Structures are given as C-alpha cells and as structure tokens.
C-alpha cells in the first residue's frame, strides 16, 4: 500500500476539502498563529501541501493538453505531439512570447511550490513545543522542494525573483535575480540541511515517498551539474552511491509500472494514486497512444544488441525495428511488430510512439493513474557522476567507463570498451555519456534540460530543419511542423510584469 500517498490525501482533505486554491490563498500564505501552526500535525499538513503542489500538470504531471516537465521532451529531437495547439508547441516552432500558455503556467506552478515552502520554512520552527529534530526534518524537506522548483526556473527563465520568505502583499514587488545568485542560494541551502534528513533505509513505511538524504544529495548533484560545478556534482553523486541503499532494478521495462515503482532505483519520486482523484495523467491517452509521437531520430539512436549503430549492423531489421535492439528500445517506444495490450500491432514504417510509463492495462481511467513520476533514478545518478567527472577534466577513465557500464549491464548491452574502445579523449567520452543519457532517460523530462545545458538545442533544431523535417513530411507524419530556435531563455510572463513594478523583461525579449 502506498501509505505516503494516502497520507497526503487525508491531510489535504482534512485541511482544505480538496481545494488547492484554498491552500494557496489562505492556508499557506495568510493563516495566522491563532488558527494554524500550533502543533506537529499542522506542520506535517503544510508540508504535504508542498508535495501536493509538485503534482501540478505544469510540473511533474501533465495530461495531453498541458506542459509538465515530462512533456518538455517533445520540444527536442526525441518527439513531438500530434496536437500542435498543446501548451509547449509554440516554443518548439518559435512562436512563443511573454503571453504564451506554458510560459505563464510553468512559472505559476513553480512559485506555488516556493510560496508554500517559504511558509513552512519560516513557521514550523516557531511552533510551540515541536520537537527540534522533527522541525528540522520538515524544514529540510521544504528546502529540497523549493530548490527543485528554483532549479527548474533557472533552467528555463534563468533570471527570476529570488523569494526566500513569506510575503505580504506590500512586499510582492521583487526584482529578478541573476541565475548565478539563485544557484548559489539553493546549493548553500541544501548543503546545510543534508544531515537533518534520514537515510533512505530508515524511512518508515508510512513515510515512503518523502524526501530523504539520498533524494537531497541527488538533487544537489543535479543542480551542481546544471550549473557547471562539476567537481561538486561528482562528489554529491558519489555520496548517493556511497549510501549503499540504491541499486538498478533488474528489469528496465517493468520499472516504469505501478508494480515496481517502490524499487530501490527510484531516488526522488512524486507520488500519485487513484484514491480520491489523486492520480497522475502524464501517460494518459485515448484508446491508442498515437498523439505521443517519438521522432525517428530518437528511435535510430538505440543500438543493436551487439552495441552497434543500426546503420552499421547486419542485425537491424527495418520492418521490425525492435528486433535485435537494445532492450530499452521496446521499453521506451512502440513500433511495428511490437505487442500492445497483449496483441501484435501494425504501425507504418518509421512511425514510433512513446511507450515508457504508458499504462497498458485495459483501464479507461488513464487520466487518474497511480503511477509515480521518477524525478531522479539511480541510473541518472551514475551517469551524472560519470559526466561530472569527465566535464571536470579530473577523472580516471576506468571509473567513468565502469559507471556507464553499470547502466548498460542492467540491460545486457556491451560495455564501452567493446563498442568505443579505451583511451578515449574527453570529447569522445562525453559523446558516449550523451548517447547513454538519451537512450536511458528518454521521456523522463531530462532531454530538454540536457540540450540546454550543453548549449546544443539550437544545433538540434537546425539539424531537424536540415533533414528530419522534410523526412517526416515525406513519411506522411500528421501535423508535423517546422521548428525554430529563438533563445535559451524563456520570457518572463507578461502577467507577472504587469503586476510587479520592479520586474523587468529579459533583454532578449
């Protein structure tokens, strides 16, 4: 039983009768000491409000209309959505601006997390008689969740208001801070609270899903990596590994299912359940999954079982693309000759759809799934350390290869030595890592951020226009559009500028 999910639901119902708006307007912003913040139960209830905010469809959930983190992969060379009016589509085609749908809602969703976290961080230590250790743990969890949202804001809008305390209306006009200041704040913040969190092995069943030391260290490693602090990223990834708790699930395909979401591979999750409509919809579909289209460029990135690119291997069968392929191909994509809901499917040649996370059971309730979203997996931690070591320039090739090979060994793919050799240059090792991240983490909401931090998104868009776009048109892909890169920096929502006299638009916009 998913005790933590039930715990969230019960606490939120008790507090607000399922009203998210009430939480934002009253409970976590304006409640006074006379009617809240009086005991440990209040503290835990407010903390659950932050976790609940992560379930927003513009964060770690996303139905077919909206633009949550997982949908950002459809702005890359991995896929696109057949319905071009969906939230993220204007970004991919270069028509977004300060009033675009996703631009405003992604901002609002993250600042909702931050607002709730600020209230918890400020008020919980002041609760009369609360146990200090419990208070410290709750504050630490809130800081990790706040840092998670600031990291997302820093990777999209880049320079945003840094708000670290609860605000009164008269204090709301906050100017934007430089991205470097935001990253300095959240990394220092997290470094200070690591020891206030329990080890993952000590989490009680009733608390399963709450932030622990492993999740905090892994998020800290990701933030350092995204901020080009490679030595620090490598060190914190190693700290996660050294906890000795996490391991790679033996079955990659089965990992992305409700039955296996409690695997020790999941380091940081956002919990969902169908209980009282607390389910997820990020893998929802109507009857068939044809709107979640994967681009051929992603499909062709998966090697054959001998570790060779498909264009170099005699094992590749274009009529049945999954035959003799890296097992992650069929776990990630649905293609011609595969089985869907127990039946073989016939799909046009060179057509591929997202399979990962998709609930295949004959259940009509896909928009209220119990499937958790994995924010960070242990495989990602291994690859983050490998990349951070290489990017730092101070690395032992054998350790880097061993980290990558752990990920490959899980799916019985040949090691780096067998496919790329040894004595690789820094650039060659990075290409191996980039490939491994793409095939291992596809449709987990990381490809967009990888391309942004590597400053390759503009090149990817150009390559798409040079070759992929015409190819898709020739193949008869429906609703496919050209792509146009504008900027690595998203515009600040116009609605925020209109109400905040100290907030100025980015120069790029």
């Amino acid at each position: 039983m998913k005790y933590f999910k039930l715990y969230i639901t019960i606490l939120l119902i008790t507090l607000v009768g399922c009203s998210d708006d009430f939480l934002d307007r009253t409970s976590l912003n304006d409640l006074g000491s006379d009617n809240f913040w009086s005991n440990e139960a209040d503290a835990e209830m407010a903390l659950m409000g932050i976790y609940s905010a992560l379930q927003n469809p513009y964060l770690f959930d996303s139905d077919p209309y909206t633009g949550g983190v997982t949908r950002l992969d459809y702005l890359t060379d991995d896929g696109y959505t057949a319905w071009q009016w969906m939230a993220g589509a204007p970004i991919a085609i270069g028509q977004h601006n300060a009033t675009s749908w996703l631009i405003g809602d992604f901002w609002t969703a993250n600042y909702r997390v931050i607002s709730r976290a600020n209230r918890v961080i400020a008020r919980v230590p002041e609760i009369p008689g609360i146990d200090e250790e419990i208070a410290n743990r709750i504050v630490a969890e809130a800081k990790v969740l706040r840092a998670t949202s600031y990291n997302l804001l820093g990777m999209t809008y880049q320079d945003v208001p840094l708000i670290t305390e609860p605000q009164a209306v008269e204090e709301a006009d906050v100017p934007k801070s430089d991205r470097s200041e935001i990253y300095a704040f959240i990394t220092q913040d997290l470094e200070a609270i690591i020891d206030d969190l329990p080890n993952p092995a000590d989490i009680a069943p009733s608390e399963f899903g709450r932030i622990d030391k492993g999740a905090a260290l892994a998020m800290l490693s990701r933030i350092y990596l995204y901020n080009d602090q490679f030595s620090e990223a490598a060190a914190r990834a190693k700290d996660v590994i050294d906890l000795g708790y996490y391991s790679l699930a033996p079955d990659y395909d089965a990992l992305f299912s409700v039955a296996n979401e409690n695997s020790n591979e999941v380091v940081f999750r956002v919990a969902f359940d169908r209980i009282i409509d607390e389910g997820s919809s990020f893998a929802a579909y109507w009857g068939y999954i044809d709107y979640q289209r994967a681009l051929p460029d992603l499909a062709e990135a998966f090697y054959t079982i001998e570790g060779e690119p498909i264009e170099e291997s005699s094992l590749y069968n274009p009529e049945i693309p999954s035959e003799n392929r890296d097992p992650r191909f069929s776990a990630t994509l649905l293609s011609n000759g595969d089985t869907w809901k127990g039946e073989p499917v016939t799909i046009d040649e060179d057509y591929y759809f997202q399979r990962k996370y998709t609930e295949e059971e004959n259940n009509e309730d896909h928009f209220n799934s119990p499937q958790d979203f994995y924010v960070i997996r242990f495989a990602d931690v291994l690859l983050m350390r490998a990349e951070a070591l290489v990017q730092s320039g101070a690395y032992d090739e054998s350790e880097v290869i061993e980290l990558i090979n752990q990920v490959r060994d899980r799916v019985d793919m040949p090691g780096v030595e067998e496919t790329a050799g040894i004595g690789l240059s820094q650039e060659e090792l990075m290409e191996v890592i980039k490939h491994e991240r793409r095939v291992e983490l596809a449709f987990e909401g990381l490809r967009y951020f990888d391309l942004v931090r590597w400053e390759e998104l503009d090149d990817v868009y150009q390559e798409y226009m040079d070759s992929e776009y015409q190819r898709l048109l020739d193949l008869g892909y429906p609703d496919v559009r050209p792509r146009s890169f504008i900027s690595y920096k998203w515009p600040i929502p116009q609605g925020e500028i209109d109400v905040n006299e100290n907030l100025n638009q980015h120069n790029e916009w």
Side-chain angles (χ1 to χ4, degrees), residues 335-350:
S335 61
N336 186 54
D338 284 338
T339 299
W340 172 256
K341 292 188 174 182
E343 300 291 336
V345 296
T346 300
I347 299 173
D348 290 344
E349 185 177 351
D350 293 313

Side-chain angles (χ1 to χ4, degrees), residues 130-142:
I130 190 169
D131 181 87
E132 182 178 2
E133 184 175 344
I134 291 173
N136 288 344
R137 177 187 175 185
I138 290 173
V139 168
E141 289 180 66

Side-chain angles (χ1 to χ4, degrees), residues 43-266:
E44 291 179 342
M45 204 174 291
L47 176 65
M48 293 308 109
I50 314 174
Y51 281 103
S52 177
L54 296 179
Q55 297 175 335
N56 189 287
Y58 290 93
L59 287 181
F60 296 108
D61 194 12
S62 181
D63 60 33
Y65 305 98
T66 52
V69 169
T70 183
R71 294 281 181 238
L72 297 184
D73 279 17
Y74 288 99
L75 308 184
T76 73
D77 49 356
D78 279 2
Y80 82 100
T81 52
W83 303 336
Q84 295 293 343
W85 46 265
M86 295 165 72
I91 297 176
I93 62 178
Q95 293 182 3
H96 62 295
N97 56 45
T99 64
S100 295
W101 184 2
L102 180 60
I103 298 301
D105 286 324
F106 192 75
W107 174 288
T108 299
N110 278 293
Y111 273 106
R112 179 175 292 123
V113 172
I114 292 165
S115 174
R116 295 183 183 186
N118 285 342
R119 185 64 60 179
V120 168
I121 293 165
R123 298 303 297 271
V124 166
E126 299 175 350
I127 292 176
I130 190 169
D131 181 87
E132 182 178 2
E133 184 175 344
I134 291 173
N136 288 344
R137 177 187 175 185
I138 290 173
V139 168
E141 289 180 66
K143 288 187 174 183
V144 174
L145 300 177
R146 180 173 68 179
T148 298
S149 273
Y150 269 125
N151 185 44
L152 293 174
L153 291 168
M155 288 299 293
T156 48
Y157 310 91
Q158 297 189 18
D159 306 328
V160 300
L162 179 58
I163 303 169
T164 63
E165 297 178 350
Q167 293 177 293
V169 173
E170 60 271 16
E171 301 170 325
D173 289 353
V174 179
K176 62 186 179 186
S177 295
D178 187 80
R179 177 186 176 189
S180 61
E181 181 183 349
I182 293 166
Y183 276 112
F185 173 79
I186 59 177
T187 52
Q188 292 169 14
D189 211 28
L190 296 193
E191 289 287 2
I193 54 85
I194 295 298
D195 290 336
D196 292 330
L197 293 164
N199 288 317
D202 297 331
I203 293 290
S206 61
E207 299 174 335
F208 196 81
R210 288 178 64 171
I211 294 292
D212 55 33
K213 186 172 293 186
L217 288 167
M219 180 53 65
L220 190 50
S221 178
R222 175 177 287 178
I223 293 170
Y224 279 134
L225 186 66
Y226 285 12
N227 197 35
D228 294 343
Q229 293 180 260
F230 300 122
S231 297
E232 294 86 348
R236 282 320 194 184
K238 186 175 188 301
D239 288 339
V240 178
I241 297 168
D242 289 346
L243 288 173
Y245 176 82
Y246 301 104
S247 60
L248 297 175
D251 188 336
Y252 180 87
D253 188 1
L255 174 63
F256 300 94
S257 66
V258 176
N260 293 282
E261 62 186 9
N262 289 348
S263 165
N264 282 13
E265 180 166 346
V266 184

Side-chain angles (χ1 to χ4, degrees), residues 433-466:
I433 291 168
K434 288 177 180 180
H435 172 268
E436 202 64 28
R437 287 190 63 84
R438 189 179 189 189
V439 298
E440 173 70 24
L441 303 170
F443 300 124
E444 296 182 47
L446 297 173
R447 180 65 175 170
Y448 179 82
F449 296 126
D450 281 350
L451 292 175
V452 166
R453 65 192 180 84
W454 295 329
E455 295 187 348
E456 294 179 359
L457 186 63
D458 53 345
D459 292 336
V460 162
Y461 276 31
Q462 188 60 54
E463 290 170 9
Y464 172 89
M465 291 305 300
D466 288 344

Side-chain angles (χ1 to χ4, degrees), residues 167-463:
Q167 293 177 293
V169 173
E170 60 271 16
E171 301 170 325
D173 289 353
V174 179
K176 62 186 179 186
S177 295
D178 187 80
R179 177 186 176 189
S180 61
E181 181 183 349
I182 293 166
Y183 276 112
F185 173 79
I186 59 177
T187 52
Q188 292 169 14
D189 211 28
L190 296 193
E191 289 287 2
I193 54 85
I194 295 298
D195 290 336
D196 292 330
L197 293 164
N199 288 317
D202 297 331
I203 293 290
S206 61
E207 299 174 335
F208 196 81
R210 288 178 64 171
I211 294 292
D212 55 33
K213 186 172 293 186
L217 288 167
M219 180 53 65
L220 190 50
S221 178
R222 175 177 287 178
I223 293 170
Y224 279 134
L225 186 66
Y226 285 12
N227 197 35
D228 294 343
Q229 293 180 260
F230 300 122
S231 297
E232 294 86 348
R236 282 320 194 184
K238 186 175 188 301
D239 288 339
V240 178
I241 297 168
D242 289 346
L243 288 173
Y245 176 82
Y246 301 104
S247 60
L248 297 175
D251 188 336
Y252 180 87
D253 188 1
L255 174 63
F256 300 94
S257 66
V258 176
N260 293 282
E261 62 186 9
N262 289 348
S263 165
N264 282 13
E265 180 166 346
V266 184
V267 181
F268 184 164
R269 61 172 46 77
V270 174
F272 293 93
D273 210 326
R274 283 195 171 110
I275 299 174
I276 319 179
D277 199 31
E278 283 292 317
S280 63
S281 57
F282 56 81
Y285 59 93
W286 283 290
Y288 201 54
I289 58 173
D290 60 346
Y291 77 89
Q292 297 184 137
R293 297 184 180 274
L295 289 170
D297 192 73
L298 170 63
E300 292 162 4
F302 290 86
Y303 295 154
T304 60
I305 54 175
E306 59 192 2
E308 292 185 351
I310 59 173
E311 63 271 16
E312 299 175 12
S313 175
S314 61
L315 295 179
Y316 173 59
N317 180 359
E319 295 183 2
I320 306 178
S322 61
E323 187 174 273
N324 299 321
R325 299 291 288 280
D326 182 331
R328 292 172 292 190
F329 178 93
S330 289
T332 304
L333 304 173
L334 183 68
S335 61
N336 186 54
D338 284 338
T339 299
W340 172 256
K341 292 188 174 182
E343 300 291 336
V345 296
T346 300
I347 299 173
D348 290 344
E349 185 177 351
D350 293 313
Y351 272 41
Y352 308 92
F353 307 114
Q354 177 186 339
R355 185 174 208 158
K356 182 184 283 186
Y357 271 134
T358 305
E359 188 179 27
E360 291 191 34
E361 290 80 4
N362 291 310
N363 188 311
E364 297 303 320
D365 204 12
H366 298 296
F367 290 82
N368 189 25
S369 168
Q371 175 68 55
D372 292 351
F373 184 84
Y374 308 152
V375 180
I376 304 178
R377 292 191 288 118
F378 188 55
D380 188 14
V381 173
L382 296 174
L383 295 177
M384 284 196 293
R385 175 160 171 80
E387 179 183 347
L389 287 171
V390 173
Q391 295 272 39
S392 74
Y395 62 91
D396 182 287
E397 184 189 56
S398 62
E399 181 188 357
V400 173
I401 289 176
E402 189 274 333
L403 289 164
I404 301 169
N405 283 350
Q406 284 188 59
V407 179
R408 292 189 175 186
D409 288 346
R410 186 254 297 276
V411 289
D412 296 321
M413 286 295 289
V416 175
E417 308 95 323
E418 301 171 65
T419 58
I422 58 175
L424 302 176
S425 67
Q426 184 181 30
E427 183 178 356
E428 289 170 331
L429 274 175
M430 274 304 303
E431 288 305 309
V432 171
I433 291 168
K434 288 177 180 180
H435 172 268
E436 202 64 28
R437 287 190 63 84
R438 189 179 189 189
V439 298
E440 173 70 24
L441 303 170
F443 300 124
E444 296 182 47
L446 297 173
R447 180 65 175 170
Y448 179 82
F449 296 126
D450 281 350
L451 292 175
V452 166
R453 65 192 180 84
W454 295 329
E455 295 187 348
E456 294 179 359
L457 186 63
D458 53 345
D459 292 336
V460 162
Y461 276 31
Q462 188 60 54
E463 290 170 9

